[in-house]
């Protein structure tokens, strides 16, 4: 991919796209690939290449790391809802003049039969829930359950990779699972727990989209939290292939 000395690439990761990109780039002997994980999952799936876990200390800390480690290119392949790190990356990359690319999978699009209720935040999702159902399936992650803790009249099925910590809803059952999830499995989950409303973030991941189809089939309303705004002026690829092509051009 590149000629001359080994070039250092930092991937801000944790997503499926980040792992696939790391695997492709790590196979190039001309590259040194480091993936940075936030450390919010107890046992993350580790990508190929070098791995660091934990924050950088804001944009200044990230800029220092980029300079110290002589990073030639920075790729932000974090979750679409990991907004803070994306803005930190944009500031840090600009400060030390390191090329930056964002990898963002396309968002979900409602189809015929979908009963979607788009909202701007978890707090807004909690506000519309009582009018839509009484038994909610929460697939928004364990970090945001405090937004629903005050809804004492509702029952929640919560799915996350790691066990959530308080504050959480009083009436709640937790399922510890990691995707991908099958359509048949999602159908059975909705049926077994008598779910009448689904709450999700627009992550856009194919591995977790089966729940949307199951909800459509069952006629269940879906509260969809819109993605937060992204930094302006950062080029975007929709997957690992586009990111690898950008890197080839950038490091040529």
């Amino acid at each position: 991919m590149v000629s001359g000395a080994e070039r250092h690439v930092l991937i801000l990761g944790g997503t499926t796209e980040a792992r696939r990109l790391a695997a492709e780039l790590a196979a190039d002997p001309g590259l040194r690939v480091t993936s940075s994980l936030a450390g919010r999952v107890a046992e993350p799936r580790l990508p190929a290449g070098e791995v660091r876990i934990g924050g950088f200390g804001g944009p200044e800390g990230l800029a220092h790391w980029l300079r110290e480690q002589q990073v030639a290119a920075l790729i932000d392949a974090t979750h679409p809802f990991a907004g803070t790190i994306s803005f930190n990356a944009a500031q840090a990359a600009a400060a030390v003049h390191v090329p930056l690319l964002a990898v963002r999978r396309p968002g979900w699009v409602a189809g015929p039969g979908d009963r979607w209720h788009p909202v701007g935040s978890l707090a807004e999702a909690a506000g519309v829930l009582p009018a839509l159902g009484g038994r909610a399936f929460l697939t928004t992650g364990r970090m945001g359950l405090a937004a629903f803790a005050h809804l004492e009249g509702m029952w929640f099925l919560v799915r996350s990779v790691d066990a959530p910590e308080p504050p959480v809803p009083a009436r709640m059952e937790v399922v510890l699972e990691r995707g991908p999830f099958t359509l048949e499995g999602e159908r059975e989950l909705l049926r077994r727990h008598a779910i009448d409303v689904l709450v999700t973030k627009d992550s856009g991941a194919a591995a977790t989209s089966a729940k949307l189809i199951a909800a459509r089939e069952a006629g269940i309303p879906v509260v969809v939290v819109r993605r937060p705004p992204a930094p302006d002026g950062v080029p975007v690829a929709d997957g690992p292939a586009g990111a690898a092509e950008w890197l080839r051009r950038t490091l040529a």
Side-chain angles (χ1 to χ4, degrees), residues 111 113-117 132 216 218-223:
D114 283 322
R115 298 172 57 196
W116 286 14
H117 298 262
L132 298 175
R216 179 195 309 150
I220 293 173
V222 181
V223 180

Side-chain angles (χ1 to χ4, degrees), residues 96-210:
V96 297
H97 307 290
V98 169
L100 168 65
L101 175 76
V103 178
R104 293 290 180 264
R105 63 179 75 131
W108 290 319
V109 178
D114 283 322
R115 298 172 57 196
W116 286 14
H117 298 262
V119 296
S121 65
L122 292 177
E124 191 177 340
V128 303
L129 261 187
L132 298 175
R135 296 179 63 84
F137 182 22
L138 286 182
T139 63
T140 54
R142 66 187 178 92
M143 306 298 291
L145 295 184
F148 305 93
H150 66 286
L151 298 177
E152 298 179 356
M154 296 196 64
W155 181 88
F156 293 93
L157 176 66
V158 174
R159 181 165 65 195
S160 65
V161 176
D162 294 321
E165 298 178 357
V168 297
R171 303 175 62 213
M172 177 185 75
E173 180 175 335
V174 178
V175 177
L176 299 181
E177 287 185 323
R178 191 197 302 260
F181 304 105
T182 67
L183 177 55
E184 185 56 39
E186 300 293 62
R187 288 168 176 158
E188 171 60 20
L189 201 64
L190 297 181
R191 184 199 62 78
R192 184 168 71 249
H193 295 281
I195 299 299
D196 57 12
V197 60
L198 168 66
V199 185
T200 190
K201 293 178 177 177
D202 181 16
S203 66
T208 57
S209 63

Side-chain angles (χ1 to χ4, degrees), residues 30-107:
L31 296 177
R32 173 191 171 195
V33 180
T34 301
S35 294
S36 177
L37 308 182
R40 293 180 177 175
V41 177
E43 297 183 5
R45 294 173 175 170
L46 298 180
E50 301 176 27
V51 178
R52 70 174 302 280
I53 296 178
F56 290 92
E60 295 81 8
L62 177 54
H64 175 76
W65 199 93
L66 294 174
R67 187 184 299 110
E68 182 182 58
Q69 296 295 320
Q70 298 182 326
V71 172
L74 174 60
I75 299 178
D76 172 18
T78 56
H79 192 277
F81 283 82
T84 299
I85 185 60
S86 295
F87 281 91
N88 288 352
Q91 293 181 45
V96 297
H97 307 290
V98 169
L100 168 65
L101 175 76
V103 178
R104 293 290 180 264
R105 63 179 75 131

Side-chain angles (χ1 to χ4, degrees), residues 205-218:
T208 57
S209 63
K211 62 192 172 191
L212 300 174
I213 301 174
R216 179 195 309 150
E217 293 176 347

